Amino acid sequence: MSWSAGALCALYVVTSAGLAWTAVLDFGHGPAQAGCLFSAASLVPLIALVRETERPGCGGGAPPARPNATEALVRAELGAACCERWWTSLGTSHDAACRHRTHRSSAT
């Protein structure tokens, strides 16, 4: 986690604690509606904290997805392709500079 993400998470915790403390004070000395409002408001920074730590690439949450078998097969086939003409002719002919070039006389 970068220092800025850590500072943001710390700010979320401090904000939530401040709102929760205000809710406690309101329940003891103020109107109950204000206490309920501050209680609900103290949950919002905690939700933001959870979302911040679950984002990929931010040091938390699930690791980046690995390519599946289909993607691996496509990458292997694209890596084995030899030239542009091979792709456009569906594998029947090759460019002059292609290392896999076969002569027409030996083609089947």
Side-chain angles (χ1 to χ4, degrees), residues 11 16 22 58 72 80:
L11 181 64
S16 182
T22 305
C58 290

Side-chain angles (χ1 to χ4, degrees), residues 89-102:
S89 65
L90 300 175
T92 58
S93 61
H94 296 272
D95 289 337
C98 179
R99 60 186 169 99
H100 296 290
R101 185 174 153 207
T102 54

Side-chain angles (χ1 to χ4, degrees), residues 3-17:
W3 69 268
S4 60
L8 185 61
C9 289
L11 181 64
Y12 287 148
V13 170
V14 169
T15 303
S16 182

Side-chain angles (χ1 to χ4, degrees), residues 57-80:
C58 290
R66 294 176 52 189
N68 61 20
T70 305
E71 289 179 17
L73 178 65
V74 169
R75 287 184 192 279
E77 291 297 325
L78 286 174

Side-chain angles (χ1 to χ4, degrees), residues 32-97:
Q33 296 88 355
C36 291
L37 178 66
F38 281 113
S39 295
S42 68
L43 296 176
V44 175
L46 294 178
I47 293 169
L49 175 70
V50 170
R51 291 186 63 165
E52 183 73 25
T53 56
E54 285 184 351
R55 282 192 320 188
C58 290
R66 294 176 52 189
N68 61 20
T70 305
E71 289 179 17
L73 178 65
V74 169
R75 287 184 192 279
E77 291 297 325
L78 286 174
C82 21
C83 61
E84 181 69 27
R85 187 177 294 165
W86 183 86
W87 280 102
T88 57
S89 65
L90 300 175
T92 58
S93 61
H94 296 272
D95 289 337

